[in-house]
Every structure is written in C-alpha cells, then in structure tokens.
Amino acid sequence: MTETATKNFVIDFDSTFTSVEALDVLGSISLKNHPEKIDRLKKIAEVTDLAMSGKLSFRESLNQRIQILDAKAEHIPILITMLKKLVSKSFKRNKTFLKEHADHVFILSNGFKEFIYPIVQKYGIKEENVHANTFVFDEDGNIIGFDENNILSQSKGKPAKIEALKLEGEIHVIGDGYNDYEIRKEGKANRFYAFTENVAREDVVKNADHVAPSLDEILYHNKMEGALSYPKNRIKVLLLENIHEKGVKIVKEEGYQIEIYPAGIDEDDLCEKIKDVSILGIRSKTLVTKKVLEHANRLMAVGAFCIGTNQIDLAECTKRGIAVFNAPFSNTRSVVELAISEMILLIRNLPDKIFSMHQGKWDKSANGSFEIRGKKLGIVGYGNIGKQLSVLAEALGMNVFYYDLDERLALGNATKCKSLKELLSKADVVSLHVDGRKTNANVIGKKEFGYMKDGVIFMNLSRGHVVDIQELKRNIESGKIAGTAVDVFPEEPLSNAHEFVSELRGLPNVILTPHIGGSTLEAQENIAEFVPTKIIDYINTGTTTNSVNFPNLTLPILQDAHRFIHVHHNQPGVLAKITNTLAKHDINVMGQYLKTNDTVGYVITDINKDYDKDAIADLRKIEGTIRFRVLY
C-alpha cells in the first residue's frame, strides 16, 4: 500500500456504527407485550452471535430472526428513534471526518436499509453508499421476509458486494463480525479492523490486521485527522485497589488498555508495573513514592479514587509533569454518616452491650449510656467533611465547636475555637477530620489527650498517622476515654487477605473499621465517575480543573486548530522563548493560556493547523521544559 492511495472505508452497521444489534432492539419493540418475549429475545441474541462468529450461515440466521421478531412496518420509526441515541461514541465524535470523506465512506451491512440510512445520513453518508438488505412486507404491513435476490442476504455476500462495487483505491473494512473479516479473507480488502468499542469477538479479533477500540484509533493508524490526537490503545491504564466498576467502564469506553489489580501493591512491585503505564488509578493503600515515579517513564496522570493524596509524592509528580486528580467531595456524605452513627453507638456504650449479647449476657442498664442531644462536639479540621458533620450534628441537637489552622467560616451556630487546647478541653465528643500532611503526624498525643475531659468519646476517621496509638491505648485502658472509633491506622493491610494488626484490638467500647469511611456504593460510584472524567478531560483537552498539583486551567473546546501543551519549570523567560519559537516558524497563534504555581508553568497555545512541524522539536528543546505534547 502507498500513503497517497485513495482509502475507502467500508463500515459495518450493527455493533460498529451503532453500539447494538438493530434486530435485537427491534425485537424489544415488536415483542414488548408478547407472552414469549424473554425466550424469543434470548433466541434472537443467540442466533445473532452464532452468525457474527461465523458458526451459522447468515441467510439461515436472518430467516430465523425475522420469524421470531413478529415485527411490523409501524415498529421501524420507533426503532430509528432508538438507534439514533445508540450511535457508537467514537463515530459521534468523528462526525466531521465522516462528512469530509463522504465520497469514500460506505456502509456495508447485512441489516436493513429501511432503518440504516435514516441513522447514517445525519453523518453525511450518501444514500448510494449505503448497501444493505431490504424487508418484504405483506399487505397488512407485517415483516414476512427479505429480498432474497439481494447479494447481502447470502453467505459471503459482503465480499461479493465489494467485488461488484469495483471501488478504486485501497479498501479498509471496519467491523465486529466474522462476515466483515470475510471481505479480507476473500482478498477483497487491503486491511480489516476488528472494531471492539462495543463487542470483542474472539474469532474475529484473532484474524484482524489491527484491533481497533475506536474509530479514533483507525484514523490515527491511517495518519488521518480525527477528533482525538493520539492512539488510545497505546495508553495503558493501571487500576489498583478494586476501583469501582463504573470507573473501569468509563476508562474502557475511551479505548485504553487496562490492567486491573484488586489490592494495593508494594513499592518494588509498583516500580516494575508502572514502567509503561500512562495513567495510574489508586485508592489509599498504594504509595506513589519518588522511587516509583523514577520508574514511570510514560506516566501522564495519577487518579486518587479517594479524598486524600498524602499517599502520593505530589512534589515529585509536579516536577515530572504528572497531573494528579482526586475526589475531594464525592464521599463526604458517607464519612459524615459513619461519624454520626459511631458517636451515637459509643455514647450509648453499644459496642460492649452488643458483644455481651452475643456472649449470652443480658446487661440491661442505663449506666454509661447518654443521648447526644446537648453534648459538645469538637471537630478538629473544618474542611468539607468537618463542615458537613457540623451541620448534621447541630440538626441532632449538639453544640458544635471547631478548630482549624486555616481561616474557616462557621456554618450554622458552630463556634470557632482559638486553639486545639481550647477545643479539646470543652468537647464531650472529639472527631478528627484533618488532612494527611506530614506536619499532622501525631497531632493528637500525650499532651492533647491530657487536655480532654474524663469520659470523652474520641473518633478518628481522617488519617492513621495523626494519632499516637500508644497514648490512645493508655487513655482507653485508664478509662479517660469512654468510647473510641478508629477507621484509619498508621499501618494497614494491603488487601483483605492480609491480617489486620493493631494494639487497639480487644479494648472496651472500641469500634474498629477497615478504612471504610467512604466505602459506600454511592460514594464509590460518585468517585469512580468523577476521577476518570477529570483525567480523560486532561488527556483529551489539556484542562486541569480540580488537579491537586497542577495550575488549574479550564480550556475551550479545540476547534479547527492544533493545541500545543507545554509544561515547564517555573522560571523566568520560558513564555518569551515559547513565543519567539512560534514567531520563528511563522505560526499563527489563535489563542494562548498560561497559569503557574510555585513549581511549574502551564502554557496552552492553540495554533492554525498549517504550520512547520520542526517547531515541535524546537519547543521541546526550550530550557526548563518538563513535558510537551500536541492535541489535534
């Protein structure tokens, strides 16, 4: 093949142009009130899969499906409405490409033109370039068969149709089924792309010239301009610690390579695994250290699927041009609800009473059991969680006090304390909600426990290293602390298979939970949607909104331009050098955006598409450059 040859793209419809098999959807419409609906839909799906995998002749499968469908002409407009919403994502975003190359884009389907053309015409595909079967109706509008003279209703109909079309130039077939591969097998196409955005069929994938998770990948492979500027299947994503399936799905839909590991992994193993990883997703157990980052040759972004980022060396990430994103709000409610429930359990002395009941001991007594109404709640750390806890606790009748190093506006009737000592000496219940910075190590130790009232309820749902565990144990054993809830620990098991070891085990009126403050289905689903979306936006557009270590820039959608993304050390003169380099190559700047923090500068330049490609090499050579990439 030559680069200058005309390229004709022959595209399948079902599970390729659309994300579904159209006859399956038609069945859900036509059989809506049929008593055998479930069995018939299952049979349709089975027959479809057998045909797509090459295990059943297409004509036989078509005959069987039409008999099962019991469909009518009146169902087709409903089907069209539904299919319009089910066009594959990568085809939707590459609508411009399809329109610009309309003369060389063909739909070749064993489906039916009655519903195919109304879908694809919106994307600029010409009616004469749509080749498919047609229905046969009886006088009452029932679909009773198909045009058996149409070559596409026969086995190996697609290769025969391509031969009959006598297309000039190269023929590139895009499809998910074995009958699409047959075009290549019969020597009627130059290349076959197994399209796996919606479904991956083993018998098809193994025979493909190229496996394509999206149309973007195909355009990149052919050096043609699409909506995205990089090959998605070359971006490897490593997701650790049992990331919620919704997050996995979002990443998969982008067409990335994904490796999933259910637990945290230690530093040495991560050093090995991260070598070719572009995006890393973790929760709280995995440590992303300087040593790990020294092995991360391709890492572009880290997603912390949690609130905290103290497990990540942010400074080193920033120096290396690696953007870090977290979910600062997504699990706030879950942590607060756990805190409220645990303080009620503890102030009623329920952990011990529940244990006694399981031992057969009936201990009905009000001794050491109180209401939380009217009690003083001391919140150490008045951030997102602390504030929401404040509001809910006040609604339950508690008097709320808080202390924070930063200036924080009080919500409701909460009272700000001038010092930690003041707060600890007033509170009946102390709840910690501080961040993971190193200076917060043992922020509650012997002296701080000494400030607290006798009989205090103490809770830590923030970070494991902020409490001196030995001192906490002494104060529990002495009775000064009447009840304790701890959700986070200085050392935690890497997975559920490892033993939890702590000196707090077995102590009276103590609730120990396995770092589950944010572990509700709602919170994990919210986090799993928020973090990947931010990372994908950064990869696709350069937008850094909500990054915890990069200057935050919200960028406009790239239109009819190329975008240069330049990350550099924050030192004088870099922007001037970028501008001079662009001027040297006579590049027309359509828009430019700059933001810095103490460590790095972030410059985005949108330019006219027609430019000297040598400029890219010169921009990479600018002193202080950390990372440079181009978006199309």
Side-chain angles (χ1 to χ4, degrees):
M1 293 189 295
T2 63
E3 291 297 328
T4 56
T6 299
K7 293 181 180 180
N8 298 290
F9 292 94
V10 177
I11 304 167
D12 181 38
F13 183 76
D14 295 288
S15 295
T16 298
F17 197 95
T18 61
S19 61
V20 293
E21 293 290 324
L23 290 187
D24 292 359
V25 179
L26 180 57
S28 70
I29 299 168
S30 64
L31 299 170
K32 183 177 180 180
N33 299 313
H34 198 286
E36 299 175 2
K37 175 185 175 181
I38 294 176
D39 290 339
R40 288 197 175 205
L41 289 177
K42 183 179 178 182
K43 182 63 176 177
I44 290 170
E46 289 173 353
V47 171
T48 299
D49 196 54
L50 287 172
M52 291 301 98
S53 300
K55 298 173 183 176
L56 180 69
S57 74
F58 178 75
R59 174 160 285 197
E60 178 60 26
S61 76
L62 200 55
N63 266 316
Q64 287 188 34
R65 283 181 282 173
I66 285 180
Q67 295 306 313
I68 297 168
L69 278 171
D70 196 22
K72 305 177 185 295
E74 65 192 54
H75 295 140
I76 293 177
I78 303 171
L79 173 63
I80 291 169
T81 299
M82 294 178 70
L83 291 179
K84 284 179 178 179
K85 300 175 183 178
L86 297 169
V87 173
S88 297
K89 289 184 177 180
S90 65
F91 279 87
K92 283 183 179 179
R93 62 175 169 253
N94 284 291
K95 187 176 181 179
T96 299
F97 169 84
L98 296 170
K99 286 186 173 182
E100 289 179 352
H101 295 81
D103 289 339
H104 302 289
V105 174
F106 300 82
I107 298 295
L108 186 63
S109 174
N110 295 125
F112 293 84
K113 194 168 183 177
E114 285 89 346
F115 57 76
I116 292 176
Y117 179 62
I119 306 301
V120 302
Q121 66 174 335
K122 179 181 175 182
Y123 293 81
I125 296 172
K126 298 179 177 181
E127 185 171 9
E128 60 266 30
N129 286 2
V130 177
H131 303 282
N133 285 298
T134 53
F135 287 121
V136 172
F137 302 88
D138 66 14
E139 59 185 14
D140 295 321
N142 297 304
I143 297 174
I144 57 173
F146 51 87
D147 179 5
E148 295 190 3
N149 294 319
N150 189 325
I151 199 169
L152 288 170
S153 70
Q154 304 171 16
S155 294
K156 296 189 178 179
K158 285 190 174 184
K161 185 64 179 180
I162 288 293
E163 184 175 23
L165 288 175
K166 301 186 183 301
L167 299 176
E168 295 183 2
E170 297 173 5
I171 296 175
H172 295 245
V173 177
I174 304 169
D176 67 286
Y178 191 84
N179 54 5
D180 301 303
Y181 161 65
E182 282 183 331
I183 303 173
R184 174 75 162 123
K185 182 181 179 182
E186 297 296 318
K188 307 304 180 184
N190 300 83
R191 185 170 290 274
F192 169 61
Y193 292 93
F195 189 80
T196 60
E197 183 172 325
N198 306 305
V199 61
R201 306 181 198 277
E202 184 180 350
D203 290 342
V204 178
V205 168
K206 71 181 182 182
N207 288 303
D209 294 299
H210 193 95
V211 178
S214 66
L215 180 58
D216 308 281
E217 168 67 16
I218 295 167
L219 299 183
Y220 177 88
H221 191 255
N222 283 276
K223 297 182 171 62
M224 304 180 83
E225 190 167 310
L228 301 175
S229 64
Y230 57 92
K232 295 256 186 124
N233 74 341
R234 288 171 176 77
I235 289 187
K236 184 174 179 180
V237 181
L238 177 61
L239 299 178
L240 306 177
E241 303 184 60
N242 202 26
I243 300 298
H244 189 278
E245 61 184 13
K246 187 169 187 177
V248 176
K249 181 181 178 183
I250 290 171
V251 174
K252 279 184 177 178
E253 286 178 348
E254 280 296 299
Y256 299 149
Q257 292 183 56
I258 303 178
E259 181 179 354
I260 300 171
Y261 194 74
I265 56 179
D266 61 29
E267 186 178 57
D268 289 338
D269 287 342
L270 186 54
C271 285
E272 186 62 32
K273 279 186 173 290
I274 206 168
K275 287 178 180 178
D276 60 347
V277 168
S278 299
I279 299 171
L280 174 66
I282 62 170
R283 292 175 70 184
S284 58
K285 290 184 175 67
T286 303
L287 300 180
V288 184
T289 63
K290 182 178 180 180
K291 179 180 175 181
V292 168
L293 293 169
E294 286 171 349
H295 289 77
N297 303 319
R298 299 180 61 186
L299 193 62
M300 299 171 67
V302 176
F305 286 70
C306 52
I307 293 176
T309 55
N310 58 295
Q311 72 277 37
I312 303 167
D313 190 331
L314 294 179
E316 191 65 24
C317 282
T318 308
K319 289 177 185 177
R320 294 176 178 273
I322 300 166
V324 179
F325 297 87
N326 69 336
F329 312 109
S330 300
N331 66 1
T332 300
R333 178 70 182 201
S334 296
V335 177
V336 170
E337 288 188 3
L338 182 62
I340 291 287
S341 64
E342 289 187 334
M343 71 173 68
I344 293 173
L345 286 170
L346 291 169
I347 208 164
R348 294 290 297 270
N349 196 29
L350 289 179
D352 285 355
K353 292 185 183 296
I354 292 168
F355 179 77
S356 294
M357 288 290 286
H358 280 285
Q359 301 301 310
K361 183 179 179 182
W362 185 271
D363 181 18
K364 179 176 170 62
S365 170
N367 290 335
S369 183
F370 305 92
E371 294 181 351
I372 63 168
R373 181 178 54 173
K375 302 300 184 293
K376 297 181 179 69
L377 170 63
I379 300 174
V380 183
Y382 205 61
N384 298 319
I385 293 175
K387 286 179 179 178
Q388 191 166 146
L389 176 60
S390 172
V391 172
L392 292 186
E394 189 174 319
L396 290 171
M398 300 188 80
N399 299 313
V400 178
F401 298 83
Y402 73 91
Y403 173 73
D404 199 298
L405 293 175
D406 296 328
E407 189 62 36
R408 305 280 189 179
L409 180 66
L411 298 182
N413 295 313
T415 301
K416 179 181 178 180
C417 292
K418 295 179 181 179
S419 67
L420 180 58
K421 179 180 180 181
E422 179 188 353
L423 179 137
L424 296 177
S425 61
K426 286 182 176 180
D428 300 307
V429 179
V430 174
S431 191
L432 303 187
H433 300 285
V434 301
D435 61 34
R437 70 187 73 178
K438 292 181 180 179
T439 53
N440 279 337
N442 288 343
V443 69
I444 302 295
K446 182 177 181 179
K447 180 174 64 174
E448 288 72 28
F449 283 119
Y451 296 147
M452 296 180 194
K453 292 181 177 180
D454 289 343
V456 69
I457 301 298
F458 178 78
M459 304 170 58
N460 180 21
L461 282 78
S462 58
R463 300 292 184 274
H465 70 282
V466 303
V467 177
D468 185 328
I469 296 297
Q470 289 286 347
E471 287 299 326
L472 174 59
K473 180 184 178 184
R474 290 191 190 99
N475 281 272
I476 294 170
E477 290 176 332
S478 71
K480 175 158 191 169
I481 294 178
T484 306
V486 181
D487 186 51
V488 288
F489 304 88
E491 294 183 8
E492 297 180 357
L494 283 174
S495 73
N496 293 344
H498 295 80
E499 182 184 3
F500 165 63
V501 178
S502 174
E503 297 177 65
L504 302 179
R505 285 168 53 176
L507 295 177
N509 206 27
V510 171
I511 299 174
L512 303 179
T513 49
H515 205 146
I516 56 169
S519 295
T520 61
L521 292 178
E522 294 90 344
Q524 291 307 305
E525 187 171 341
N526 290 339
I527 291 170
E529 182 174 11
F530 184 86
V531 176
T533 300
K534 293 301 176 184
I535 291 177
I536 289 167
D537 200 20
Y538 168 64
I539 299 294
N540 287 352
T541 71
T543 290
T544 53
T545 306
N546 291 112
S547 172
V548 297
N549 67 322
F550 260 40
N552 276 210
L553 271 178
T554 301
L555 299 167
I557 295 173
L558 189 64
Q559 293 183 334
D560 198 32
H562 286 187
R563 177 167 287 169
F564 288 170
I565 297 178
H566 193 279
V567 185
H568 59 270
H569 296 295
N570 188 5
Q571 59 191 48
V574 176
L575 181 59
K577 291 175 182 176
I578 291 173
T579 303
N580 290 338
T581 301
L582 297 173
K584 171 187 169 184
H585 291 277
D586 295 321
I587 291 177
N588 181 32
V589 176
M590 302 173 68
Q592 194 169 59
Y593 315 89
L594 164 69
K595 204 162 187 182
T596 63
N597 61 23
D598 291 342
T599 307
V600 298
Y602 192 55
V603 179
I604 309 296
T605 308
D606 291 347
I607 66 169
N608 191 287
K609 290 182 178 180
D610 184 18
Y611 61 93
D612 181 1
K613 300 303 187 287
D614 290 341
I616 294 174
D618 288 348
L619 287 165
R620 285 196 170 105
K621 292 176 184 176
I622 291 175
E623 183 182 354
T625 299
I626 298 172
R627 187 185 294 271
F628 177 84
R629 61 190 177 105
V630 183
L631 296 180
Y632 304 115

